């Protein structure tokens, strides 16, 4: 059996090729919801710890190449309203399916129901399209209206 010896030039070429392959693997991440670590991840809007997955939401921060996490669908709507991205059709926006744990839904195609006790009191949870009576536009309008309400004035 003959033993192959790698020259310095061959070694450098091999090392350079491996480095390029490693860099190519570190390209832009694919836009997708991340796995939320309950009790550890923090809401981008209110800075509360995410403690209940069924009310969570995420949207894609294209500039940073990462998902933003929210503890309440209302926080995601409020955050995206404030930064001007909510009405942008390019915004990728996901909501947790409250009826099937661990499933992420396209927020614009999901259906909603109010009346829940959610982490920040917005009251909405999501389910697959057609399962619940409220559509995306109505949920967004209700969250925006509630966000604009003023505290009662003392008499």
């Amino acid at each position: 059996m003959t033993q192959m010896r790698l020259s310095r030039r061959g070694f450098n070429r091999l090392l350079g090729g491996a480095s390029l392959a490693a860099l190519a693997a570190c390209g832009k991440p694919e836009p997708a919801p991340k796995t939320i670590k309950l009790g550890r991840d923090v809401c981008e809007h209110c800075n509360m710890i995410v403690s209940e997955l069924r009310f969570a939401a995420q949207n894609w921060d294209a500039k940073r190449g990462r998902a933003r996490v929210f503890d309440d669908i209302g926080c995601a709507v409020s955050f995206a309203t404030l930064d001007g991205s909510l009405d942008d059709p390019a915004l990728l926006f996901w909501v947790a399916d409250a009826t099937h744990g661990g499933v992420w839904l396209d927020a614009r195609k999901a259906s909603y129901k109010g009346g829940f006790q959610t982490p920040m009191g917005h009251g909405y949870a999501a389910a697959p399209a057609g399962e619940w009576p409220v559509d995306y536009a109505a949920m967004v309008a209700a969250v925006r209206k509630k966000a604009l309400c003023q505290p009662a004035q003392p008499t």
Side-chain angles (χ1 to χ4, degrees):
M1 180 179 345
T2 59
Q3 189 175 12
M4 268 184 109
R5 294 202 67 174
L6 195 57
S7 69
R8 182 175 290 201
R9 179 176 280 164
F11 176 77
N12 287 338
R13 285 183 180 163
L14 182 65
L15 184 62
S19 297
L20 286 175
L23 284 174
C26 294
K28 282 187 171 180
E30 286 294 315
K34 69 176 249 170
T35 301
I36 292 180
K37 298 175 199 114
L38 294 178
R40 293 184 63 198
D41 281 333
V42 176
C43 177
E44 293 266 344
H45 184 65
C46 69
N47 294 318
M48 298 289 288
I49 293 174
V50 180
S51 60
E52 289 187 77
L53 184 60
R54 65 188 179 138
F55 302 120
Q58 299 186 49
N59 65 33
W60 187 253
D61 182 346
K63 289 179 186 170
R64 294 184 180 158
R66 67 175 182 86
R68 292 184 187 115
V69 174
F70 302 94
D71 66 339
D72 190 309
I73 294 165
C75 283
V77 169
S78 297
F79 184 92
T81 297
L82 290 172
D83 83 355
S85 65
L86 186 64
D87 296 324
D88 181 354
L91 176 69
L92 298 174
F93 185 8
W94 305 281
V95 289
D97 181 349
T99 63
H100 301 95
V103 175
W104 290 100
L105 306 169
D106 179 330
R108 292 180 179 96
K109 295 178 181 172
S111 61
Y112 299 87
K113 184 165 70 171
F116 290 94
Q117 240 183 341
T118 62
M120 293 307 294
H122 294 284
Y124 284 90
E131 223 172 286
W132 284 347
V134 179
D135 68 3
Y136 173 78
M139 179 275 298
V140 167
V143 167
R144 284 177 164 169
K145 183 178 179 182
K146 187 172 188 171
L148 292 175
C149 70
Q150 297 297 317
Q153 297 295 323
T155 54

